[in-house]
């Protein structure tokens, strides 16, 4: 019998757990603290676990992609949050067009690379 997949929740690390928790809340995620060193962050149907764990090679190679409805509006929202001023190490890369769609990038305070994008249909 085939099972229906209900969600995918990656585990990501953080160099400074408190800073990363605040960053993700500012970004728009809601936090559910599960343990002193583990939180679940949700935004509608998207979720991930944030750990108080830092392994440089792991963090430096972690990338996640979130598809959004309107990338230009999402980009404007990102800019309005002033994340680069609030958090050391955070970088935003503007929207770029690729053969498959459009995307922009956010590096979190630990260096994890988030892709936010839309696909051409």
């Amino acid at each position: 019998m085939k099972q229906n997949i209900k969600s995918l929740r990656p585990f990501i690390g953080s160099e400074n757990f408190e800073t990363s928790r605040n960053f993700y809340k500012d970004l728009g995620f809601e936090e559910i603290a599960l343990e002193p060193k583990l939180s679940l962050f949700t935004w509608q149907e998207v979720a991930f676990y944030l750990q108080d764990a830092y392994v440089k090679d792991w963090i430096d190679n972690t990338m996640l992609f979130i598809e959004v409805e309107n990338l230009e509006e999402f980009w404007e929202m990102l800019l309005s949050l002033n994340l680069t001023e609030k958090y050391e190490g955070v970088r935003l890369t503007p929207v770029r067009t690729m053969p498959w769609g459009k995307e922009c990038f956010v590096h979190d305070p630990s260096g994890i690379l988030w892709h936010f994008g839309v696909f051409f249909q």
Side-chain angles (χ1 to χ4, degrees):
M1 176 175 149
K2 281 192 171 182
Q3 291 291 315
N4 291 326
I5 295 175
K6 294 177 67 175
S7 70
L8 173 66
R9 296 180 179 183
F11 287 77
I12 66 172
S14 59
E15 187 170 11
N16 181 309
F17 189 59
E18 290 306 313
T19 298
S20 291
R21 289 176 64 215
N22 291 329
F23 170 81
Y24 286 113
K25 288 186 277 189
D26 282 351
L27 189 56
F29 287 92
E30 293 183 26
E31 179 184 22
I32 301 168
L34 301 173
E35 298 175 5
K37 296 184 175 197
L38 179 69
S39 288
L40 175 67
F41 282 85
T42 64
W43 189 340
Q44 296 170 0
E45 301 300 315
V46 174
F48 67 91
Y49 295 101
L50 179 69
Q51 302 174 91
D52 186 4
Y54 181 73
V55 177
K56 184 171 177 24
D57 286 345
W58 172 43
I59 297 291
D60 288 349
N61 288 289
T62 299
M63 293 187 285
L64 298 117
F65 186 99
I66 294 180
E67 183 181 7
V68 297
E69 188 172 66
N70 184 313
L71 185 59
E72 286 73 18
E73 285 180 14
F74 190 82
W75 175 251
E76 292 303 318
M77 184 272 303
L78 284 174
L79 292 176
S80 74
L81 297 174
N82 298 314
L83 297 170
T84 57
E85 289 81 24
K86 289 182 184 177
Y87 299 98
E88 186 177 336
V90 169
R91 294 181 316 205
L92 304 178
T93 304
V95 173
R96 65 181 191 173
T97 301
M98 305 297 288
W100 51 266
K102 296 180 186 179
E103 66 181 340
C104 65
F105 303 104
V106 176
H107 286 86
D108 85 351
S110 300
I112 291 174
L113 177 59
W114 289 83
H115 299 241
F116 294 95
V118 295
F119 297 103
F120 295 142
Q121 312 270 268

